[in-house]
Amino acid sequence: MATTTSSPALSSVSSLMDSNCIGSSLRLKNLAQQLRLYKPPPTFDDDDIEERRIEENAGKVLSQVGIAESAAPITNPEKFQPKRAAVLICLFESDGGELRVILTKRSLSLSSHSGEVSLPGGKAEEGDADDSQTATREAHEEIGLDPSLVNVVAVLEPYLSKHLLRVVPVIGLLSDKQAFKPMPNPDEVEAIFDAPLEMFIKDENRRSEEREWLGEKYLIHFFDYTTEDKKYMIWGLTAGILIRAASVVYQRPPAFVEQTPNFKVLKSVHRQTTMP
């Protein structure tokens, strides 16, 4: 992800931010200003370097653990071209002043990750100008969230899913929660709900499992959340992204050990390889 201010993606983000600030609470306005200053760890300098780095990092496999691509150096990679996707971390302020994030439970009929909790989002399409447009377009298609209601304020570093899909988290603020009328796409979404963002840096209602792959130990985090008598488990890549987002928003690390691995993937690992 380019970090220079002249990139088309950041220009698009900036225009979205400027056009959606009207009506925001003071807290959301201050948060928008804070997040505009956020710069993810450097990964790419321009599109050519990005493509070259994709090839150099071929074979990299990051599983359900959900860690940033920049945190996983590898050796002896094979070439591959990971597809790109974006997810929307849509935050709003509750009546009690709490920052909350919109989440979905995926349809049970989906062929992958059915029934799991995820952030709205999906794969990039040819007409998308940037990751922000991918994330907001997908959110509109999945849950009926009008992109004009979302104030995009930051783009986090990309993650790689266990199937080698590059996932870019986009943070957006929803200043007028009442204007959002959830309309789940039944082909993709079973339920729409929201949860407190700060939950993902607290050591409450959380458990973890230690896994090992190629000699590296890491933790997969699981957060249990109940709302309106419905129980949800938020884990894996989604949990990892939300831990990072909460750390950035609240400007403090989680109250638990993340234990992210330093993967060094062997040359024999290919694009079909996934984590255990």
Side-chain angles (χ1 to χ4, degrees), residues 9 48 82-83 85 104 109 114 118 183-184 189 212 219 241 249 254 260:
D48 291 337
K83 293 182 179 180
T104 71
S109 63
S114 60
S118 68
M183 293 184 293
V189 175
E212 183 174 341
L219 292 178
I241 289 174
V249 168
T260 54

Side-chain angles (χ1 to χ4, degrees), residues 145-200:
L145 177 58
D146 188 336
S148 67
L149 296 175
V150 180
N151 175 16
V152 175
V153 291
V155 177
L156 303 184
E157 56 269 34
Y159 286 66
L160 288 180
S161 76
K162 69 172 183 176
H163 296 297
L164 301 180
L165 179 69
R166 173 171 286 130
V167 180
V168 180
V170 174
I171 299 181
L173 305 182
L174 177 64
S175 60
D176 188 357
K177 178 61 167 60
Q178 300 305 316
F180 170 42
K181 309 300 181 184
M183 293 184 293
N185 181 340
D187 292 332
E188 300 184 53
V189 175
E190 179 179 316
I192 303 170
F193 67 101
D194 54 79
L197 180 66
E198 194 174 12
M199 175 180 79
F200 298 100

Side-chain angles (χ1 to χ4, degrees), residues 45-62:
D45 292 329
D46 54 41
D47 291 340
D48 291 337
I49 292 178
E50 175 176 358
E51 291 302 319
R52 185 158 61 250
R53 190 173 186 272
I54 288 174
E55 293 181 357
E56 291 172 352
N57 282 343
K60 184 186 299 182
V61 181
L62 308 181

Side-chain angles (χ1 to χ4, degrees), residues 53-208:
R53 190 173 186 272
I54 288 174
E55 293 181 357
E56 291 172 352
N57 282 343
K60 184 186 299 182
V61 181
L62 308 181
S63 73
Q64 301 102 323
V65 66
I67 67 172
E69 177 181 321
S70 59
I74 66 167
T75 59
N76 299 323
E78 285 187 340
K79 289 186 176 182
F80 75 107
Q81 293 291 334
K83 293 182 179 180
R84 196 176 188 92
V87 293
L88 181 64
I89 304 169
C90 187
L91 306 178
F92 67 93
E93 190 174 12
S94 71
D95 293 339
E98 181 181 55
L99 285 177
R100 301 183 70 86
V101 58
I102 296 174
L103 295 164
T104 71
K105 182 179 180 181
R106 290 168 61 85
S107 170
L108 293 173
S109 63
L110 292 173
S111 59
S112 63
H113 305 289
S114 60
E116 293 185 4
V117 171
S118 68
L119 291 156
K123 293 179 182 177
E125 294 184 357
E126 187 175 347
D128 293 342
D130 50 40
D131 297 312
S132 300
Q133 187 172 350
T134 297
T136 54
R137 174 186 55 75
E138 286 285 337
H140 183 244
E141 293 175 4
E142 290 183 9
I143 64 175
L145 177 58
D146 188 336
S148 67
L149 296 175
V150 180
N151 175 16
V152 175
V153 291
V155 177
L156 303 184
E157 56 269 34
Y159 286 66
L160 288 180
S161 76
K162 69 172 183 176
H163 296 297
L164 301 180
L165 179 69
R166 173 171 286 130
V167 180
V168 180
V170 174
I171 299 181
L173 305 182
L174 177 64
S175 60
D176 188 357
K177 178 61 167 60
Q178 300 305 316
F180 170 42
K181 309 300 181 184
M183 293 184 293
N185 181 340
D187 292 332
E188 300 184 53
V189 175
E190 179 179 316
I192 303 170
F193 67 101
D194 54 79
L197 180 66
E198 194 174 12
M199 175 180 79
F200 298 100
I201 52 173
K202 291 183 176 180
D203 198 10
E204 301 171 6
N205 301 314
R206 184 198 66 89
R207 58 189 173 86
S208 61

